[in-house]
Amino acid sequence: MSDLSMELQQQNNGVVAQSMASREMEEVKGQIFMAKQFPRDVFAAENRIKDACKRPALAHSAIYSYPRGGTKVTGPSIRLAEVVAQNWGNMSFGIKELEQKNGESTAMAYAWDLETNVRQEKIFTVKHQRKANGKIQTVTDPRDIYELVANNGARRLRACVMGIIPGDIFEMAVSECDKTLEGQNDSPLKERFANAFKRFKDDYRVTKAQIEERLGYNSEAFSERDYLDLIEIFNSLKDGMSKPSDWFNVSKKEGQTKSDLAKEVEQSTKSKSNDEVKADGTEQPKLL
């Protein structure tokens, strides 16, 4: 390519970039104008958020938790943060990929209150790599790269949204979600636990015995509060806030729950059976 062609290409790229920047600026001006013309009704926004939190599907994914320093940390999940922002109104939020080069993406998570002009943003870098089967693999497929950036940006987006919307709004939303879960009796508690055990085993290879060991008692004694705790743990694993080994003894398998007494009885029975058989294979007479 000649120097003239390169110069023309650079000029074209500059014109395109300038045109895109101008268009984005006009869109932002339009959003701000509409926000000023139709300011949010805080009371109506709170009612919309409360109504949204009454949906069981949202309530089940509203809270995450993860262990830290021997305690459990809980908070609103990215799903709840998105719903709160949508119903709060006059908000612009999302994740943008700014640049992609040298096997990594630079992206930005942001939240912007168009009424008050309060904005939070977090710029971060994501390497095009992921861990699979204990090995680091390079990601090249555009769809996989997009999902990688989105997953890494989710926690930062939640932090931006929560930095803009008042904290008491999120406290109210979490409380409403808890009420929804505690009042949801569409199916017996035993069936809900059976479904939970299946999800943990299918998605994270966590067995029922490991869950019982974590909670400290047999599943027959599990309560509604224990079910809510399992939901928080599952959401934490799903959001990538923690991993199974943070919560469960992953080295323990389902069949490794026999007591020492059971093992002694089994060995005694085996020994007795051997004594009752002769060397030639015929059975010896039993003593009364």
Side-chain angles (χ1 to χ4, degrees), residues 252-288:
K252 185 173 184 178
K253 304 298 181 183
E254 184 90 30
Q256 297 177 341
T257 58
K258 289 186 178 180
S259 65
D260 293 336
L261 178 60
K263 292 178 180 179
E264 290 179 7
V265 172
E266 184 178 350
Q267 291 176 356
S268 175
T269 303
K270 187 182 295 184
S271 176
K272 184 177 179 180
S273 299
N274 291 338
D275 291 342
E276 291 173 353
V277 179
K278 290 182 179 180
D280 59 1
T282 60
E283 187 177 355
Q284 295 180 351
K286 298 180 180 178
L287 298 177
L288 298 179

Side-chain angles (χ1 to χ4, degrees), residues 165-177:
I165 299 176
D168 61 296
I169 299 298
F170 278 98
E171 291 174 3
M172 177 269 294
V174 169
S175 177
E176 287 296 321
C177 288

Side-chain angles (χ1 to χ4, degrees), residues 23-42:
R23 186 179 63 183
E24 289 183 3
M25 181 62 69
E26 292 303 318
E27 289 178 356
V28 169
K29 288 180 180 179
Q31 291 176 337
I32 294 175
F33 175 78
M34 295 301 294
K36 296 296 184 182
Q37 292 296 312
F38 302 97
R40 89 171 47 89
D41 184 336
V42 175

Side-chain angles (χ1 to χ4, degrees), residues 1 4-14:
M1 183 180 294
L4 179 59
S5 298
M6 291 180 62
E7 185 177 350
L8 290 174
Q9 184 175 356
Q10 290 176 356
Q11 289 178 356
N12 290 334
N13 292 340

Side-chain angles (χ1 to χ4, degrees), residues 36-51:
K36 296 296 184 182
Q37 292 296 312
F38 302 97
R40 89 171 47 89
D41 184 336
V42 175
F43 181 75
E46 290 182 6
N47 286 335
R48 288 197 300 268
I49 293 170
K50 285 182 179 180
D51 288 341

Side-chain angles (χ1 to χ4, degrees), residues 30-270:
Q31 291 176 337
I32 294 175
F33 175 78
M34 295 301 294
K36 296 296 184 182
Q37 292 296 312
F38 302 97
R40 89 171 47 89
D41 184 336
V42 175
F43 181 75
E46 290 182 6
N47 286 335
R48 288 197 300 268
I49 293 170
K50 285 182 179 180
D51 288 341
C53 292
K54 291 177 182 177
R55 302 201 311 264
L58 173 61
H60 275 291
S61 61
I63 310 297
Y64 73 83
S65 64
Y66 62 93
R68 175 184 289 173
T71 62
K72 182 172 70 173
V73 179
T74 62
S77 69
I78 179 59
R79 300 283 83 81
L80 181 59
E82 289 174 345
V83 169
V84 170
Q86 291 163 2
N87 288 282
W88 187 242
N90 289 337
M91 289 278 298
S92 177
F93 61 95
I95 302 169
K96 288 184 178 180
E97 187 176 30
L98 304 177
E99 188 180 30
Q100 187 177 131
K101 65 177 183 179
N102 300 328
E104 62 182 25
S105 293
T106 301
M108 175 181 66
Y110 68 95
W112 186 7
D113 189 325
L114 299 170
E115 281 190 34
T116 62
N117 199 27
V118 176
R119 178 184 174 96
Q120 279 205 10
E121 62 181 42
K122 298 183 184 298
I123 297 176
F124 57 98
T125 301
V126 180
K127 291 186 177 181
H128 299 167
Q129 296 176 345
R130 63 184 173 190
K131 191 173 183 180
N133 300 323
K135 297 180 180 179
I136 301 296
Q137 297 181 349
T138 301
V139 176
T140 56
D141 186 85
R143 180 177 176 178
D144 292 338
I145 293 174
Y146 168 79
E147 293 177 351
L148 195 63
V149 173
N151 290 337
N152 279 269
R155 293 191 294 272
R156 295 168 175 88
L157 177 60
R158 177 181 56 231
C160 290
V161 171
M162 293 184 66
I164 297 296
I165 299 176
D168 61 296
I169 299 298
F170 278 98
E171 291 174 3
M172 177 269 294
V174 169
S175 177
E176 287 296 321
C177 288
D178 284 341
K179 292 177 184 177
T180 300
L181 291 175
E182 290 170 359
Q184 184 186 355
N185 295 316
D186 296 338
S187 61
L189 186 61
K190 183 178 292 186
E191 290 184 14
R192 281 184 274 153
F193 270 116
N195 291 332
F197 295 151
K198 186 176 185 301
R199 290 294 304 275
F200 270 95
K201 188 170 184 178
D202 291 347
D203 294 1
Y204 302 105
R205 299 181 182 275
V206 173
T207 66
K208 176 182 174 182
Q210 291 166 341
I211 294 175
E212 289 177 331
E213 181 185 16
R214 163 72 191 181
L215 296 181
Y217 38 86
N218 191 278
S219 60
E220 295 297 326
F222 285 0
S223 65
E224 191 80 31
R225 182 65 256 177
D226 296 319
Y227 184 69
L228 298 181
D229 288 341
L230 284 182
I231 290 175
E232 293 178 1
I233 293 174
F234 189 87
N235 288 338
S236 172
L237 298 175
K238 186 171 64 175
D239 282 358
M241 300 297 298
S242 61
K243 52 186 182 295
S245 59
D246 292 330
W247 298 101
F248 307 101
N249 181 9
V250 295
S251 61
K252 185 173 184 178
K253 304 298 181 183
E254 184 90 30
Q256 297 177 341
T257 58
K258 289 186 178 180
S259 65
D260 293 336
L261 178 60
K263 292 178 180 179
E264 290 179 7
V265 172
E266 184 178 350
Q267 291 176 356
S268 175
T269 303
K270 187 182 295 184

